[in-house]
Amino acid sequence: MFYVYLSIYFFLGSVKEEIFKKNKSKFLIFLLIFFFCFTYQMGTDWLSYQNYYENIFPNTSLENLLMKNARIERGYVLLNIIFYNLGFNYEIFSGIILSFCTYTILKYMQEKSQNKYIAFYIFFIYAFNAALLEPLMRQVIALAFFIISLKYLEKRRFLKFILVVFLAAQFHRTAYLLLPLYFINYIKFSLKKVIIMIISFKLLLNTMIDLAIYIFPKYIEYLTATRYAPKELSITTVVICIYHILIIFYIYKNSNKKRNYILNFASIYVILYSIVAYFPIINRLNLYFAPFIGITLSYVTDIYFFNRKISKSIVKKLVVVIFIFLVATTMFYRRIIAGGDLVNLAYLNYKNYIIEFLKGDLKNNFSEKKSFYENQVKQIIEKENKK
């Protein structure tokens, strides 16, 4: 029911935004921070992250951190050590870090979007909901740094852009792949180019997988595990890609608020989304581009015909808002239903750390907190890998 209420709230907010055009309030951002940055016993990655925070990183010496090849990025290890030594427990540590990252990302999206409720809803439904609930802590930090780097991209400050993206890579190595994106403004994406690239990626799939394993050998388990195995491209995926492409190139592209790099990043999102069926782990990389598909889709009520805006009617805009919410919400619940037992366990049983604290229902220590939950997760993964 939590997600039902949330969807209704976003829908009503989107309608209000279209009518009154008030886009400056930060209340929605802080509301989302409360609900999604301080979750408790949700997702699966927290099992590893809390173990690192309490049992492994505190015993890491500065020499080992600097001199040895670290499995976890050094920036993230150092951040854990600092907060641990300051006396923060894991939940407060993760809540603070995720809050700062979420605020940075959503504030940027609010500034660039036409309807922040639509932009945020799409972003959360498509990617950020799962990223915060797991949480994908290191990559969320990297995403926040990437968002910060965009002001240097806009101002054409090459060295500052490179420096901030390099800092992002100290929290998640995949951010190194973002370094060439400084030159994204020199590229002009078109409808034709995007379609050609989608087809090309499909034809070069096996080569891409081999290349990814070569560049990121530590992720081989993700690339070869049964539950990440390639699947056939569905008609639904094709339709969603076409739907995104039409909005990007026939609506956002005609907006006087258009930014070329945002259009290009949204196009990259669609291209990567189209190959997720063949290469499921690519969804993690697509997190970097999810904010931009949210921004472009927030312009959906500006309907153009031969480059002329034709929709100013509130009724027409309401119909469009209803349509986009039906599509996004259907995608979300379809993914939840198709996700199986692990998704149901990780995302549907909503718990909030602050609420659980006020109720007095927190576990006494990490061992007690993880034991039953971890056994459930292992059983579900073993069951899925046998299919």
Side-chain angles (χ1 to χ4, degrees):
M1 289 300 292
F2 169 75
Y3 295 107
V4 174
Y5 293 139
L6 198 65
S7 298
I8 293 172
Y9 178 80
F10 270 103
F11 171 72
L12 295 176
S14 298
V15 173
K16 182 192 74 173
E17 193 100 330
E18 289 298 327
I19 296 173
F20 298 107
K21 295 296 180 185
K22 293 181 179 179
N23 201 37
K24 295 182 180 180
S25 172
K26 301 294 191 299
F27 173 75
L28 179 59
I29 295 177
F30 289 115
L31 183 69
L32 293 172
I33 285 173
F34 173 79
F35 279 124
F36 288 95
C37 296
F38 291 91
T39 55
Y40 185 73
Q41 281 188 312
M42 298 191 69
T44 55
D45 283 17
W46 69 266
L47 292 165
S48 297
Y49 279 128
Q50 187 162 357
N51 184 48
Y52 284 134
Y53 183 79
E54 295 184 2
N55 302 318
I56 298 177
F57 293 154
N59 300 318
T60 302
S61 66
L62 185 61
E63 181 183 358
N64 287 338
L65 179 63
L66 296 176
M67 304 303 295
K68 290 188 176 181
N69 291 327
R71 182 178 182 275
I72 303 295
E73 292 80 358
R74 290 179 175 85
Y76 183 71
V77 176
L78 184 60
L79 190 66
N80 277 250
I81 293 172
I82 292 171
F83 271 80
Y84 183 85
N85 287 324
L86 288 174
F88 291 94
N89 66 22
Y90 168 77
E91 287 83 6
I92 297 299
F93 158 70
S94 64
I96 290 173
I97 298 301
L98 292 175
S99 295
F100 276 105
C101 293
T102 300
Y103 180 83
T104 299
I105 297 162
L106 296 186
K107 183 175 179 290
Y108 166 83
M109 291 183 65
Q110 178 170 306
E111 292 170 353
K112 302 299 182 183
S113 63
Q114 177 162 280
N115 186 319
K116 67 175 180 290
Y117 285 90
I118 293 177
F120 291 179
Y121 189 67
I122 295 297
F123 180 45
F124 270 81
I125 288 295
Y126 284 16
F128 208 47
N129 172 62
L132 291 179
L133 295 185
E134 281 290 342
L136 307 180
M137 181 92 74
R138 288 146 51 227
Q139 194 171 0
V140 170
I141 298 172
L143 173 59
F145 273 110
F146 178 51
I147 293 297
I148 292 170
S149 76
L150 297 179
K151 66 180 179 182
Y152 302 118
L153 177 65
E154 291 181 347
K155 295 177 181 179
R156 300 182 184 277
R157 303 286 179 84
F158 176 75
L159 290 179
K160 289 185 177 181
F161 174 85
I162 295 298
L163 175 61
V164 176
V165 174
F166 180 79
L167 286 174
Q170 306 317 301
F171 293 90
H172 205 276
R173 291 184 181 91
T174 56
Y176 283 121
L177 298 174
L178 305 175
L179 289 170
L181 295 180
Y182 176 80
F183 303 101
I184 196 71
N185 277 322
Y186 299 98
I187 301 172
K188 188 175 181 180
F189 276 83
S190 65
L191 179 62
K192 182 179 178 181
K193 287 179 181 177
V194 169
I195 293 173
I196 290 173
M197 291 175 75
I198 289 173
I199 295 172
S200 300
F201 274 119
K202 168 63 174 84
L203 296 176
L204 297 172
L205 176 65
N206 291 332
T207 303
M208 287 167 53
I209 294 177
D210 292 340
L211 183 62
I213 292 175
Y214 176 77
I215 297 174
F216 299 109
K218 63 170 285 190
Y219 297 114
I220 190 170
E221 61 181 285
Y222 293 112
L223 300 170
T224 57
T226 304
R227 63 196 183 104
Y228 292 114
K231 303 176 180 63
E232 289 300 319
L233 182 66
S234 68
I235 296 298
T236 303
T237 301
V238 174
V239 171
I240 293 298
C241 285
I242 294 172
Y243 158 71
H244 288 153
I245 289 171
L246 291 175
I247 293 175
I248 293 170
F249 290 101
Y250 288 101
I251 295 181
Y252 182 72
K253 188 176 181 179
N254 289 304
S255 170
N256 56 11
K257 296 180 181 179
K258 180 200 77 173
R259 294 290 182 272
N260 188 57
Y261 76 89
I262 292 178
L263 184 147
N264 289 349
F265 287 158
S267 299
I268 292 173
Y269 177 90
V270 177
I271 294 166
L272 295 178
Y273 179 83
S274 71
I275 61 173
V276 164
Y278 308 110
F279 200 9
I281 195 59
I282 206 73
N283 221 19
R284 291 287 185 97
L285 181 62
N286 224 4
L287 177 63
Y288 292 116
F289 304 103
F292 308 101
I293 195 68
I295 292 170
T296 55
L297 264 61
S298 75
Y299 288 79
V300 71
T301 55
D302 288 345
I303 301 176
Y304 290 84
F305 186 72
F306 289 107
N307 296 331
R308 295 182 61 185
K309 188 186 292 189
I310 63 172
S311 177
K312 292 184 179 180
S313 165
I314 294 299
V315 174
K316 290 180 181 178
K317 289 187 175 185
L318 180 60
V319 171
V320 173
V321 170
I322 291 173
F323 172 76
I324 198 169
F325 265 82
L326 284 174
V327 172
T329 307
T330 301
M331 288 174 61
F332 175 70
Y333 284 105
R334 180 175 175 271
R335 188 165 67 247
I336 290 293
I337 293 171
D341 295 337
L342 186 60
V343 172
N344 291 334
L345 174 67
Y347 302 144
L348 294 188
N349 185 27
Y350 178 80
K351 288 184 180 180
N352 183 283
Y353 176 77
I354 297 173
I355 294 174
E356 296 299 307
F357 172 77
L358 294 174
K359 290 165 55 180
D361 287 342
L362 297 178
K363 303 298 182 183
N364 293 323
N365 53 59
F366 176 51
S367 297
E368 183 184 351
K369 179 184 173 185
K370 76 169 185 173
S371 57
F372 179 70
Y373 193 90
E374 187 176 42
N375 289 333
Q376 285 183 300
V377 170
K378 286 181 178 179
Q379 289 173 11
I380 292 171
I381 291 177
E382 288 174 359
K383 180 180 176 182
E384 289 182 354
N385 286 337
K386 289 179 181 179
K387 290 182 180 180

